Amino acid sequence: MNRDLSFEPDTGAICIGDTTCLKAFQEKSVVQALVSPWVRGSRDLQNGYKWLQLGGLTFGNHPAGLSLCFHHGKLIGADWGVSLPGASMEGGWPTQQAIDQEIAFVRQILATLFQREMTTHALEFSWGTVWSEFDPKGFLAAHGMRYRQL
């Protein structure tokens, strides 16, 4: 069963369903145990950065994937993507229209979740930053959040 991905507005905690919330700078071993049902892969960049890829999630009731980013064993942020129904593709890649629709959708969900309008590509908080924007280099919709050291 898919679990909904959301964020706790006051702390930026990454929530999966009603029972799993990941906190800023939490140890990778603790996070890995909490998210084990959704882990689909991992990546070690050999430079202090490691990623866990999660599947079986939804964001705004649509299928979503989440990549958790760790630096020196601590959770520092995440990136995610959403699959919208009927998204137009060309040669296996999303069209600009599909990318724009995904960004608009994610920004709408984030504005509702954080009760703040997204007038730019990012929202700033005391705990960190959340963004949703077009990545021209990768030609894709980029959504993510990073924690700020307090």
Side-chain angles (χ1 to χ4, degrees):
M1 183 161 91
N2 290 343
R3 296 281 190 241
D4 196 41
L5 167 65
S6 65
F7 303 94
E8 205 287 314
D10 293 334
T11 64
I14 301 164
C15 300
I16 299 173
D18 295 330
T19 58
T20 304
C21 280
L22 313 175
K23 298 175 183 147
F25 307 106
Q26 205 165 17
E27 292 287 336
K28 183 177 183 275
S29 60
V30 172
V31 170
Q32 194 158 6
L34 291 170
V35 301
S36 63
W38 303 285
V39 173
R40 302 296 186 262
S42 62
R43 188 171 36 146
D44 183 347
L45 301 180
Q46 303 295 315
N47 61 359
Y49 287 92
K50 294 182 181 180
W51 294 81
L52 282 179
Q53 284 87 32
L54 310 184
L57 305 175
T58 60
F59 185 78
N61 295 318
H62 294 290
L66 176 70
S67 292
L68 300 173
C69 181
F70 299 86
H71 188 241
H72 298 298
K74 305 276 189 186
L75 180 65
I76 64 164
D79 299 327
W80 72 94
V82 181
S83 297
L84 297 179
S88 54
M89 306 284 277
E90 288 178 2
W93 293 93
T95 63
Q96 185 69 59
Q97 178 185 13
I99 292 168
D100 292 344
Q101 288 172 339
E102 182 179 335
I103 292 168
F105 173 78
V106 169
R107 286 182 179 183
Q108 177 186 11
I109 299 295
L110 291 175
T112 300
L113 185 66
F114 290 109
Q115 298 180 5
R116 289 173 57 182
E117 193 62 38
M118 286 196 75
T119 57
T120 64
H121 74 280
L123 294 172
E124 297 289 336
F125 300 92
S126 60
W127 52 261
T129 303
V130 177
W131 68 87
S132 178
E133 64 185 344
F134 174 66
D135 175 355
K137 185 175 180 183
F139 199 79
L140 51 81
H143 322 292
M145 55 86 63
R146 290 289 178 271
Y147 295 118
R148 178 177 293 116
Q149 288 279 6
L150 300 177

